[in-house]
């Protein structure tokens, strides 16, 4: 059974990527989606004052919240999925997980800010796209209709 990574940050852009998979317009049925959320590591200063169990609970809670909406979308579509809460450098963790499960593709929502801004501040999607050993599908959320 093929494995697909759906990287989420809990945004509307990630929801658009989940709806893309749920619509089934491009990908063949019979795959398992690995929903991945990566929260950033805490600094050493935080670790000095907060115990590991509290930090781990904070990471887990944040990841559950970030994964909730995409998991609801996948579940409603009857798509099998697994949740993977991680922390660290997002693009690195996504790519490592994709490699470890032999992912057929990585699907991500993208903010679509543009190449200049992404070059200045960086983009997880851009890093994944540049370094992935499997196809990467970037899904941009449709723009909301603006009132006239």
């Amino acid at each position: 059974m093929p494995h697909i990574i759906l990287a989420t940050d809990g945004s509307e852009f990630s929801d658009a990527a989940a709806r893309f998979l749920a619509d089934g317009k491009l990908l063949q049925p019979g795959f398992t989606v690995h929903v991945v959320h990566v929260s950033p590591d805490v600094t050493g200063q935080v670790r000095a004052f907060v115990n590991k169990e509290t930090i781990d609970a904070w990471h887990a809670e944040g990841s559950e919240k970030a994964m909730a909406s995409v998991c609801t979308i996948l579940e409603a579509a009857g798509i099998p999925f697994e949740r993977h809460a991680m922390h660290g450098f997002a693009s690195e963790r996504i790519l490592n997980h994709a490699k470890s499960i032999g992912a057929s593709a990585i699907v991500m929502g993208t903010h679509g800010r543009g190449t200049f801004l992404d070059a200045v501040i960086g983009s997880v999607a851009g890093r994944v796209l540049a370094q992935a050993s499997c196809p990467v599908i970037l899904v941009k959320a449709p723009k909301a209709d603006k009132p006239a």
Side-chain angles (χ1 to χ4, degrees):
M1 177 176 285
H3 299 281
I4 295 175
I5 300 284
L6 172 58
T8 181
D9 61 1
S11 70
E12 64 185 284
F13 306 101
S14 296
D15 290 352
R19 283 191 292 278
F20 171 82
L21 289 174
D23 289 345
K25 293 180 182 172
L26 179 63
L27 303 171
Q28 297 178 359
F31 55 86
T32 297
V33 175
H34 294 257
V35 177
V36 173
H37 176 261
V38 183
S39 34
D41 278 326
V42 296
T43 65
Q45 293 173 331
V46 171
R47 284 193 204 109
F49 296 102
V50 181
N51 66 39
K52 182 182 182 324
E53 292 78 22
T54 301
I55 293 170
D56 289 346
W58 177 77
H59 280 301
E61 181 181 344
S63 287
E64 275 304 310
K65 286 179 184 176
M67 292 187 283
S69 61
V70 298
C71 290
T72 298
I73 293 166
L74 296 174
E75 188 171 40
I79 296 173
F81 64 91
E82 298 176 10
R83 291 177 175 94
H84 302 276
M86 303 175 182
H87 55 89
F89 189 61
S91 56
E92 182 179 290
R93 295 302 306 257
I94 292 165
L95 291 164
N96 286 343
H97 190 69
K99 187 175 183 178
S100 75
I101 64 167
S104 300
I106 300 170
V107 179
M108 302 177 73
T110 179
H111 295 241
R113 290 182 294 246
T115 54
F116 175 74
L117 191 55
D118 283 345
V120 173
I121 64 171
S123 163
V124 173
R127 287 184 194 103
V128 169
L129 183 62
Q131 298 175 15
S133 58
C134 63
V136 178
I137 301 168
L138 300 178
V139 179
K140 189 173 178 182
K143 291 184 179 183
D145 293 333
K146 294 183 180 179

